[in-house]
Amino acid sequence: MAVPGVGLLTRLNLCARRRTRVQRPIVRLLSCPGTVAKDLRRDEQPSGSVETGFEDKIPKRRFSEMQNERREQAQRTVLIHCPEKISENKFLKYLSQFGPINNHFFYESFGLYAVVEFCQKESIGSLQNGTHTPSTAMETAIPFRSRFFNLKLKNQTSERSRIDDQLNTLLKEFQLTEENTKLRYLTCSLIEDMAAAYFPDCIVRPFGSSVNTFGKLGCDLDMFLDLDETRNLSAHKISGNFLMEFQVKNVPSERIATQKILSVLGECLDHFGPGCVGVQKILNARCPLVRFSHQASGFQCDLTTNNRIALTSSELLYIYGALDSRVRALVFSVRCWARAHSLTSSIPGAWITNFSLTMMVIFFLQRRSPPILPTLDSLKTLADAEDKCVIEGNNCTFVRDLSRIKPSQNTETLELLLKEFFEYFGNFAFDKNSINIRQGREQNKPDSSPLYIQNPFETSLNISKNVSQSQLQKFVDLARESAWILQQEDTDRPSISSNRPWGLVSLLLPSAPNRKSFTKKKSNKFAIETVKNLLESLKGNRTENFTKTSGKRTISTQT
């Protein structure tokens, strides 16, 4: 908080030093008074006037008037001894239920204190009626109703939304910032400048986590070279008896054309791309790509060409994330939980991917009663002619207008959803059933893959075909354990003053080897340093403090 009047405080401290006969605590002001009315008067000041800062010091009323005004003001004011860590917003929201607040500030003097001035004197009586006299086993308190209060925090068992706060805090801390998103689009635009040397009307578009609202700080930048605009130029009808065509080279297949284009662009980025380092041409993959690091932005980039289905999938996830505020918070928490227990990895292998986890969360939310998210087939029925989309023979049609989708009537808390997500997939029949967000129901698996999640658009593909049986079993064991932990906390939740991890934090810690009904697991160290730092703030849910610090969020280059 700003601390105006520092010079005055300094002079007061100097005077205090001269009077050495009596030791007094040094009061440190943490916030200063400021009212809405005062701000409005400042805004309404005539444009031609100049505020010198001395006007308020010139007496404008009688001494007796000033005295009476100050006394009346004091009669509407209370003094509150506060806990060391307190949310200013929650503190003011609590006090506002007793009446409107005109002014407040905090200061330190052998503890943290708040001076709160109400607009009406009657608010003091309302506050006193809601205050009780403390009692102890060893001493007796004198029941005096003063305007000097002691504020304590209730036990967490009385605030059932605290795990919800943790999930929302995690989302707020890890989601892509506005600055990070702008930097991603700028990076694509810089790569587009280079590609335009060969394809003047091309567009380099970001897709995946960078645009679907589920990306976290440090995620890779997936981009694809869109050549459809170049091809569409030839479709423009020109009058006359002639048809003009470009002279081009022909190749046997679309895949070979993609490989040739990416091969040339890879060489261009390697030799001429400013800040493009570590260029790898991975042309024999199922989806050929060029991988490189963009030093200036710090992003690890994957460039493909004409990957329009991936962009459509990104749009679908964007819509799901926008339909309900609980969706993104739940996805972020499940992803963080999976990474903390090494269920996912930035290295390709037999692990579950973040995309698969997102599909599982969406499927779970479709299965709630009432559903929180609609099925893809129901989004298709809401589509109009403008939404019709067929890519490479795959029907990718769904409604794009969010206003045409009815909001869910489900009111379940994030805490309940997180617990039941783990219960649902901890007991899911993975041996015989597949996950299908198109229909939102369990179906028989078409093959023997341990985990089968149908691609929402290329329906013959399994997006989790890489997952091994051992990794799936590890996921199931951890899901059951996490459901058990949350179930125990329903009846045994620690107090705020306790240092014992609880809620989401307890799920992110390494598994205990002696916990009942679960297999012994190795202790894991978190791969992401930012997760460790966040855990400390989540333990006590101390995400907001009265000192309101500000600072830039570091853009991580980890995945």
CSV table of all heavy atoms in Angstrom, one decimal, residues 451-473:
chain,number,residue,atom,x,y,z
A,451,LEU,N,-6.0,-47.7,-22.6
A,451,LEU,CA,-6.9,-46.5,-22.5
A,451,LEU,C,-7.3,-46.1,-23.9
A,451,LEU,O,-6.5,-45.8,-24.7
A,451,LEU,CB,-6.1,-45.3,-21.8
A,451,LEU,CG,-6.8,-44.0,-21.7
A,451,LEU,CD1,-8.1,-44.1,-20.8
A,451,LEU,CD2,-5.9,-42.9,-21.1
A,452,TYR,N,-8.6,-46.0,-24.1
A,452,TYR,CA,-9.2,-45.6,-25.4
A,452,TYR,C,-10.0,-44.3,-25.2
A,452,TYR,O,-11.1,-44.4,-24.6
A,452,TYR,CB,-10.0,-46.7,-26.0
A,452,TYR,CG,-10.2,-46.6,-27.5
A,452,TYR,CD1,-9.5,-47.3,-28.4
A,452,TYR,CD2,-11.2,-45.6,-28.0
A,452,TYR,CE1,-9.7,-47.1,-29.8
A,452,TYR,CE2,-11.3,-45.4,-29.3
A,452,TYR,CZ,-10.6,-46.2,-30.2
A,452,TYR,OH,-10.8,-46.0,-31.6
A,453,ILE,N,-9.5,-43.2,-25.8
A,453,ILE,CA,-10.3,-42.0,-25.8
A,453,ILE,C,-10.4,-41.6,-27.3
A,453,ILE,O,-9.5,-41.3,-28.0
A,453,ILE,CB,-9.5,-40.9,-25.1
A,453,ILE,CG1,-9.3,-41.3,-23.6
A,453,ILE,CG2,-10.4,-39.6,-25.1
A,453,ILE,CD1,-8.5,-40.3,-22.8
A,454,GLN,N,-11.7,-41.6,-27.7
A,454,GLN,CA,-11.9,-41.3,-29.2
A,454,GLN,C,-11.6,-39.9,-29.5
A,454,GLN,O,-12.0,-39.0,-28.8
A,454,GLN,CB,-13.4,-41.6,-29.5
A,454,GLN,CG,-13.8,-41.5,-30.9
A,454,GLN,CD,-15.2,-41.6,-31.2
A,454,GLN,OE1,-16.0,-40.7,-30.8
A,454,GLN,NE2,-15.7,-42.8,-31.8
A,455,ASN,N,-10.9,-39.7,-30.6
A,455,ASN,CA,-10.7,-38.4,-31.2
A,455,ASN,C,-12.0,-37.8,-31.5
A,455,ASN,O,-12.8,-38.4,-32.2
A,455,ASN,CB,-9.8,-38.5,-32.4
A,455,ASN,CG,-9.3,-37.1,-32.9
A,455,ASN,OD1,-10.2,-36.3,-33.3
A,455,ASN,ND2,-8.0,-36.9,-33.0
A,456,PRO,N,-12.3,-36.6,-31.1
A,456,PRO,CA,-13.7,-36.0,-31.3
A,456,PRO,C,-14.0,-35.8,-32.8
A,456,PRO,O,-15.2,-35.8,-33.1
A,456,PRO,CB,-13.6,-34.7,-30.6
A,456,PRO,CG,-12.2,-34.4,-30.4
A,456,PRO,CD,-11.5,-35.7,-30.3
A,457,PHE,N,-13.1,-35.7,-33.7
A,457,PHE,CA,-13.4,-35.4,-35.1
A,457,PHE,C,-12.9,-36.6,-36.0
A,457,PHE,O,-13.6,-37.1,-36.8
A,457,PHE,CB,-12.8,-34.1,-35.5
A,457,PHE,CG,-13.3,-32.9,-34.8
A,457,PHE,CD1,-12.5,-32.1,-34.0
A,457,PHE,CD2,-14.7,-32.6,-34.8
A,457,PHE,CE1,-13.0,-31.1,-33.3
A,457,PHE,CE2,-15.2,-31.5,-34.1
A,457,PHE,CZ,-14.3,-30.8,-33.3
A,458,GLU,N,-11.7,-37.0,-35.8
A,458,GLU,CA,-11.2,-38.2,-36.5
A,458,GLU,C,-11.5,-39.4,-35.7
A,458,GLU,O,-10.7,-40.0,-35.0
A,458,GLU,CB,-9.7,-38.1,-36.7
A,458,GLU,CG,-9.3,-36.9,-37.6
A,458,GLU,CD,-7.8,-36.7,-37.8
A,458,GLU,OE1,-7.2,-36.2,-36.8
A,458,GLU,OE2,-7.3,-37.2,-38.8
A,459,THR,N,-12.8,-39.8,-35.8
A,459,THR,CA,-13.4,-40.8,-34.8
A,459,THR,C,-12.8,-42.2,-34.8
A,459,THR,O,-13.0,-43.0,-33.9
A,459,THR,CB,-14.9,-40.9,-35.0
A,459,THR,OG1,-15.2,-41.2,-36.4
A,459,THR,CG2,-15.6,-39.5,-34.7
A,460,SER,N,-12.0,-42.5,-35.9
A,460,SER,CA,-11.4,-43.8,-35.9
A,460,SER,C,-10.1,-43.8,-35.2
A,460,SER,O,-9.5,-44.9,-35.0
A,460,SER,CB,-11.1,-44.2,-37.4
A,460,SER,OG,-10.2,-43.3,-38.0
A,461,LEU,N,-9.6,-42.7,-34.6
A,461,LEU,CA,-8.4,-42.6,-33.9
A,461,LEU,C,-8.5,-42.6,-32.4
A,461,LEU,O,-9.5,-42.0,-31.9
A,461,LEU,CB,-7.6,-41.3,-34.4
A,461,LEU,CG,-7.2,-41.2,-35.8
A,461,LEU,CD1,-6.5,-39.9,-36.1
A,461,LEU,CD2,-6.4,-42.4,-36.3
A,462,ASN,N,-7.6,-43.2,-31.7
A,462,ASN,CA,-7.5,-43.2,-30.3
A,462,ASN,C,-6.4,-42.2,-29.8
A,462,ASN,O,-5.2,-42.4,-30.1
A,462,ASN,CB,-7.2,-44.6,-29.8
A,462,ASN,CG,-7.0,-44.6,-28.3
A,462,ASN,OD1,-7.3,-43.7,-27.5
A,462,ASN,ND2,-6.4,-45.7,-27.8
A,463,ILE,N,-6.8,-41.1,-29.2
A,463,ILE,CA,-5.8,-40.1,-28.9
A,463,ILE,C,-4.9,-40.5,-27.7
A,463,ILE,O,-3.9,-39.9,-27.5
A,463,ILE,CB,-6.5,-38.7,-28.5
A,463,ILE,CG1,-7.2,-38.9,-27.2
A,463,ILE,CG2,-7.4,-38.2,-29.6
A,463,ILE,CD1,-7.8,-37.6,-26.6
A,464,SER,N,-5.2,-41.6,-27.1
A,464,SER,CA,-4.4,-42.1,-25.9
A,464,SER,C,-3.8,-43.5,-26.2
A,464,SER,O,-3.5,-44.3,-25.3
A,464,SER,CB,-5.3,-42.2,-24.7
A,464,SER,OG,-6.4,-43.0,-24.9
A,465,LYS,N,-3.6,-43.8,-27.5
A,465,LYS,CA,-3.1,-45.1,-27.9
A,465,LYS,C,-1.7,-45.3,-27.3
A,465,LYS,O,-1.3,-46.5,-27.2
A,465,LYS,CB,-3.0,-45.2,-29.4
A,465,LYS,CG,-2.8,-46.6,-30.0
A,465,LYS,CD,-2.9,-46.6,-31.5
A,465,LYS,CE,-2.6,-48.1,-32.0
A,465,LYS,NZ,-2.8,-48.1,-33.4
A,466,ASN,N,-0.9,-44.3,-27.0
A,466,ASN,CA,0.4,-44.4,-26.5
A,466,ASN,C,0.5,-44.9,-25.1
A,466,ASN,O,1.5,-45.3,-24.6
A,466,ASN,CB,1.2,-43.1,-26.6
A,466,ASN,CG,0.5,-42.0,-25.7
A,466,ASN,OD1,-0.7,-41.7,-25.9
A,466,ASN,ND2,1.2,-41.5,-24.8
A,467,VAL,N,-0.6,-44.8,-24.3
A,467,VAL,CA,-0.6,-45.0,-22.9
A,467,VAL,C,-0.5,-46.5,-22.6
A,467,VAL,O,-1.2,-47.3,-23.1
A,467,VAL,CB,-1.9,-44.5,-22.2
A,467,VAL,CG1,-1.9,-44.8,-20.7
A,467,VAL,CG2,-2.0,-43.0,-22.5
A,468,SER,N,0.5,-46.9,-21.7
A,468,SER,CA,0.7,-48.3,-21.4
A,468,SER,C,-0.2,-48.7,-20.2
A,468,SER,O,-0.8,-47.9,-19.5
A,468,SER,CB,2.2,-48.5,-21.0
A,468,SER,OG,2.5,-47.8,-19.8
A,469,GLN,N,-0.3,-50.0,-20.1
A,469,GLN,CA,-1.1,-50.6,-19.0
A,469,GLN,C,-0.6,-50.2,-17.6
A,469,GLN,O,-1.4,-49.8,-16.7
A,469,GLN,CB,-1.2,-52.1,-19.1
A,469,GLN,CG,-2.1,-52.8,-18.0
A,469,GLN,CD,-3.5,-52.3,-18.1
A,469,GLN,OE1,-4.1,-52.4,-19.2
A,469,GLN,NE2,-4.1,-52.0,-17.0
A,470,SER,N,0.7,-50.1,-17.5
A,470,SER,CA,1.3,-49.8,-16.2
A,470,SER,C,1.0,-48.3,-15.8
A,470,SER,O,0.8,-48.0,-14.7
A,470,SER,CB,2.8,-50.0,-16.2
A,470,SER,OG,3.5,-49.3,-17.2
A,471,GLN,N,1.1,-47.4,-16.8
A,471,GLN,CA,0.8,-46.0,-16.6
A,471,GLN,C,-0.7,-45.8,-16.3
A,471,GLN,O,-1.0,-45.0,-15.4
A,471,GLN,CB,1.2,-45.2,-17.8
A,471,GLN,CG,2.7,-45.0,-17.9
A,471,GLN,CD,3.3,-44.2,-16.8
A,471,GLN,OE1,2.8,-43.1,-16.4
A,471,GLN,NE2,4.4,-44.7,-16.2
A,472,LEU,N,-1.5,-46.5,-16.9
A,472,LEU,CA,-3.0,-46.4,-16.7
A,472,LEU,C,-3.3,-46.9,-15.2
A,472,LEU,O,-4.0,-46.3,-14.5
A,472,LEU,CB,-3.8,-47.2,-17.7
A,472,LEU,CG,-5.3,-47.3,-17.4
A,472,LEU,CD1,-5.9,-45.9,-17.5
A,472,LEU,CD2,-6.0,-48.2,-18.4
A,473,GLN,N,-2.6,-48.0,-14.8
A,473,GLN,CA,-2.8,-48.5,-13.5
A,473,GLN,C,-2.3,-47.5,-12.4
A,473,GLN,O,-2.9,-47.3,-11.4
A,473,GLN,CB,-2.1,-49.9,-13.3
A,473,GLN,CG,-2.4,-50.6,-12.0
A,473,GLN,CD,-3.9,-50.8,-11.8
A,473,GLN,OE1,-4.6,-51.4,-12.7
A,473,GLN,NE2,-4.5,-50.5,-10.7
